Amino acid sequence: MRFHHMNGAGNDFVVMDVRGLELDFSRLAMELCKLTGADGFLAVDKSDTADFRLHFYNPDGNRGEMCGNGARCVCRYAYELGLAGEEMVVQTDAGPVTGKRISESIYRIGLNLPSVVDLHRLPNAAYIELGQPGCPHSITEVPGLRWEMREELREMAKNLRYHPAFPKGTNVNLYTWVDADTVRILTYERYVEDYTLACGTGSASTAVTLWSQGKLPGGVLTVQNPGGDLKITIRSHGNAITALLLEGPTEITKIIEY
């Protein structure tokens, strides 16, 4: 079997074409993520409703609802393998996701719209779910946050990850403002059980929170992740979000025979 090792702003994945194959995705995810140290496993399959279907699995073998940076990587994979054109639709567990090739390395997706926006789930944390069933994220401001504060903030992140206020568990996003249109973020991911270099749905959930609080009137947010910058664009009509776009870099790190 051949797989690609890819990353989107440092968020790295094992990507495989599994069309026509019957495989134990959970087992493969654990084996291949252990082999490469990847944050997740992306299986590209046939779809009757889209250009292709994305099966997303975490390193521990748990299936995930969706992955923003993973979807961007898999759009590049599909384009370069000739499975789709420069614009495509991806079937995911959280609903259909649109993808677009902006340049050789930059890809943009239209994320699933928020199905839950609870700005007061905890005194120090908002709660956002993107899609249906939703990908869960908690959002907490940590003024002056620096990426070097990972260990200092680890206990807080783990406590939020397993807090009973989040019945599905949650991905934990900690942020601080850099300027009026930019935040710096650290994400502690559910099932990875550690910080990752970037999180697309986490960056988008942070933007949704800030927009819903009236703090992002322009609807465009640059999110500085440790692995690279992501751009979130919110389009709206009145108080309703009509589009949630995630844009950023992708890279094919290597191709491996397994």
Side-chain angles (χ1 to χ4, degrees), residues 65 75 96 114 137 233:
E65 299 91 349
C75 285
H137 286 275
T233 302

Side-chain angles (χ1 to χ4, degrees), residues 130-166:
L130 302 181
Q132 192 68 263
C135 185
H137 286 275
S138 67
I139 315 297
T140 296
E141 183 176 6
V142 179
L145 179 146
R146 293 174 288 108
W147 294 321
E148 295 79 10
M149 296 167 63
R150 289 178 180 85
E151 295 310 312
E152 179 183 338
L153 295 171
R154 184 175 293 273
E155 185 175 356
M156 174 198 288
K158 290 178 72 173
N159 287 341
L160 286 168
R161 155 67 178 97
Y162 291 104
H163 197 285
F166 310 115

Side-chain angles (χ1 to χ4, degrees), residues 1-50:
M1 292 186 293
R2 169 180 289 189
F3 66 86
H4 285 55
H5 186 224
M6 302 183 67
N7 80 79
N11 202 188
D12 66 330
F13 308 95
V14 175
V15 189
M16 283 184 62
D17 180 359
V18 302
R19 293 173 301 159
L21 302 177
E22 293 188 9
L23 301 169
D24 183 342
F25 295 151
S26 180
R27 179 185 61 80
L28 268 177
M30 290 187 286
E31 290 181 0
L32 295 178
C33 289
K34 182 177 181 181
L35 177 67
T36 60
D39 297 324
F41 173 66
L42 309 174
V44 179
D45 205 352
K46 296 178 181 178
S47 172
D48 295 328
T49 61

